[in-house]
Amino acid sequence: MKNISFFYFTTGLLLTLSCSEKNIVKEKIEKPVVTILIQPFKDIKTETVAKVTEGIKNVYPNVKVLNAIDFPENTYYKERNRYRADSIIKFLNKETKEGFVTIGLTSKDISATRGKIKDFGIMGLGYRPGKACVASNFRLNKENRDEQFYKIAIHELGHTQGLPHCPEKMCFMRDAEGKNPTNEETDFCKKCKTFLINKNWKFNSI
């Protein structure tokens, strides 16, 4: 009888330890929630940064705003009075730690190489994947400018997480195709949102 009791006690203990070990392993595997760092450059207005931040937070709450900084000297393209988006991203990338993604905000004209065009004016740039991106309101319409700006920012943030352009017209990841369709965009589509959730993005609403 004692042997039977000991058997059940031992079995129960092993099961308890086994479950505990599984929980420990699960906790170790779980990735931390991504934190979006908003890095304004000194040219941009504080109120503009606040409105872009508010727009991003309405979609994704885990956001922190950094103190405004100067552009690194090597980012300025004197011939066109522009700032090179790729050089800005390279700079921000070095400053961004694991578990974070940085979006640089500016009101200056930014550019990047596109195909055979060495210096093509753009609204934003984000590498797929990457730890940093940049957005500018220089080329945005005066009407709904702040709303458009946060949509450009969140589009580039999506690229850093590995999202490609999306065929859905209402999706933040829609390809601008050289235009500005941001007024038609309302949210990440279900497919893009699911992709980001798998990247451990914690949205305000699903």
Side-chain angles (χ1 to χ4, degrees):
M1 189 72 179
K2 287 182 179 179
N3 289 337
I4 294 171
S5 298
F6 179 75
F7 171 76
Y8 283 121
F9 173 76
T10 307
T11 304
L13 183 62
L14 286 171
L15 285 171
T16 303
L17 289 171
S18 178
C19 289
S20 300
E21 286 173 4
K22 284 180 181 178
N23 288 334
I24 292 169
V25 171
K26 188 177 179 182
E27 285 176 9
K28 286 181 179 178
I29 292 173
E30 190 173 338
K31 295 179 182 179
V33 177
V34 176
T35 300
I36 294 174
L37 301 177
I38 295 179
Q39 178 60 78
F41 289 99
K42 287 184 178 179
D43 63 282
I44 198 165
K45 294 179 180 178
T46 305
E47 54 265 34
T48 301
V49 175
K51 287 176 181 176
V52 173
T53 303
E54 183 184 359
I56 293 173
K57 279 186 173 181
N58 285 337
V59 180
Y60 186 84
N62 202 24
V63 177
K64 181 181 178 182
V65 181
L66 305 177
N67 293 328
I69 59 173
D70 291 313
F71 283 102
E73 288 183 13
N74 70 322
T75 62
Y76 183 58
Y77 186 56
K78 190 174 180 181
E79 289 180 35
R80 301 292 297 275
N81 191 28
R82 288 173 170 170
Y83 288 83
R84 292 289 300 184
D86 49 358
S87 298
I88 294 170
I89 290 174
K90 190 174 181 180
F91 166 76
L92 294 175
N93 196 57
K94 288 180 181 178
E95 304 296 315
T96 307
K97 296 178 181 178
E98 201 64 38
F100 295 84
V101 58
T102 305
I103 171 76
L105 298 181
T106 179
S107 59
K108 297 290 187 181
D109 195 11
I110 61 174
S111 62
T113 300
R114 178 174 289 186
K116 294 181 180 180
I117 304 173
K118 183 183 176 181
D119 192 64
F120 187 84
I122 56 175
M123 295 180 286
L125 183 67
Y127 294 129
R128 182 168 65 94
K131 291 195 296 181
C133 54
V134 62
S136 167
N137 66 0
F138 183 85
R139 296 175 178 275
L140 299 180
N141 303 330
K142 289 183 179 179
E143 187 180 350
N144 299 328
R145 199 176 197 187
D146 291 325
E147 183 180 345
Q148 290 176 2
F149 199 15
Y150 100 77
K151 289 178 181 179
I152 295 294
I154 210 160
H155 174 101
E156 302 308 339
L157 286 164
H159 280 321
T160 66
Q161 301 305 292
L163 274 175
H165 284 139
C166 179
E168 295 288 338
K169 288 186 176 181
M170 52 68 64
C171 183
F172 290 142
M173 296 311 299
R174 175 182 178 179
D175 189 351
E177 297 179 336
K179 300 176 183 178
N180 180 6
T182 48
N183 288 333
E184 297 176 21
E185 298 167 8
T186 56
D187 200 350
F188 287 108
C189 70
K190 188 176 180 180
K191 185 178 179 180
C192 289
K193 189 168 282 190
T194 300
F195 180 95
L196 291 172
I197 289 169
N198 289 332
K199 291 286 185 178
N200 215 28
W201 275 47
K202 306 296 183 186
F203 287 93
N204 278 329
S205 59
I206 303 300

